[in-house]
Structure formats: C-alpha cells, structure tokens
Amino acid sequence: STSIATLFMAGYGPGLLWALACMVVVFLYTRRHPVAVSAERVPLGLAVKTVLRAVPSLLMIVIVIGGILTGIFTPTESAVIAVLYSLVLGAIYKQITFTHLPRILLDATRTTSIVMLLVGVWAFEFGNVAATLLILRASELLAPGRSGWSRVMGCSSGWRP
C-alpha cells in the first residue's frame, strides 16, 4: 500500500506539466485573439498590497499539503483544517458572519447527503450484482451431472469443462 504523502509527491510532476501546458495554451490564444489592454499601469504600491492580501488564502494549500507530507495530520484531518482555515479567513476578510453560518451548514449538509445517497445506491447495486454473479457461478458448479473433481477444479481455478 502506498502512503498518501507519496501519492501527493507523485502528482507534483504531472501537475506542473499541466500548469505549463495551460500557460502555453493561454499564451497562444492571446497571440491569436488579442484583448484590449489598459494603457495605465498598476502602481507598485497597489500591486504589493494586492499580493500581500492574497498571501493568507494562498497559504491554505501550503498548510494542507505541508501538513499531510510532514505527517502532522491525515488527509481527513487536513479537510477539517481547510474548512476551519476558510472560515477564519472568511471572517477576517469580512465575507462570512455568524448570520451566514446556518445557511452554509445547511448547504454543506445537503451536498453531503446527496453524495452519501449516491454512494449508498452504488454500494447496494454493487452488492446485488456481486451476489447475483456468485449465485449464478455456484449454480453452474453444482449443476447435476458434474463429478466432484470437476466441481473442485471449477471452484479453485475458474475452469469450466
């Protein structure tokens, strides 16, 4: 079995390659279809302020992936950390207040319920198919007229006479 940290590490190369491919596509598209660009430049102070304001949000991926890779918390715990961090950032940026929380929790509950219902239906159908196939296989193996040896060979190797 492979650890989650190893799986994350294995995804870095393809992820960077995909990001590079997206950059090339955007570059080529904007060369063919130029867009109107404002002639005025953004002041350096405003650019620095904007980047600094975005840093806390960008740190979420560092906290989540870094915590998993260093073994500080598991992937499930990282999801909880990400949710709590998002709530804190939402409060800091004044995008989420206590009056928003009931609606947020209701929406999250609804989405989780739909996903769990789909998983449950899939598991039920998978169980039905597996049980049906096992019953059909057992009825073939125990069919009248088959010798005991062919039954043993059929059960152990899947061989059919």
Side-chain angles (χ1 to χ4, degrees):
S1 84
T2 307
S3 72
I4 297 295
T6 305
L7 293 174
F8 273 125
M9 294 296 286
Y12 285 153
L16 291 173
L17 187 62
W18 181 253
L20 180 66
C22 288
M23 286 185 244
V24 168
V25 168
V26 169
F27 175 76
L28 294 175
Y29 183 83
T30 55
R31 285 289 219 179
R32 280 199 180 169
H33 309 285
V35 290
V37 178
S38 174
E40 63 185 65
R41 299 195 69 173
V42 176
L44 181 62
L46 180 61
V48 169
K49 182 180 175 184
T50 303
V51 169
L52 289 177
R53 187 169 161 88
V55 166
S57 298
L58 296 172
L59 281 177
M60 182 190 299
I61 194 70
V62 173
I63 292 169
V64 170
I65 300 296
I68 293 171
L69 292 178
T70 58
I72 295 173
F73 41 78
T74 67
T76 304
E77 293 166 346
S78 73
V80 175
I81 298 294
V83 168
L84 292 176
Y85 190 74
S86 296
L87 286 173
V88 169
L89 284 181
I92 289 172
Y93 290 144
K94 297 182 176 133
Q95 298 295 315
I96 297 176
T97 62
F98 283 112
T99 58
H100 292 123
L101 285 180
R103 185 65 188 177
I104 291 170
L105 293 174
L106 181 65
D107 289 345
T109 303
R110 183 178 296 125
T111 302
T112 303
S113 300
I114 291 169
V115 170
M116 288 293 108
L117 180 66
L118 292 173
V119 169
V121 167
W122 179 86
F124 178 75
E125 286 303 317
F126 180 80
N128 279 343
V129 169
T132 302
L133 291 175
L134 286 173
I135 290 169
L136 289 174
R137 181 71 176 140
S139 66
E140 287 176 5
L141 293 173
L142 300 174
R146 292 188 63 172
S147 68
W149 181 249
S150 67
R151 287 182 188 162
V152 170
M153 290 302 292
C155 287
S156 63
S157 67
W159 174 78
R160 297 179 188 199

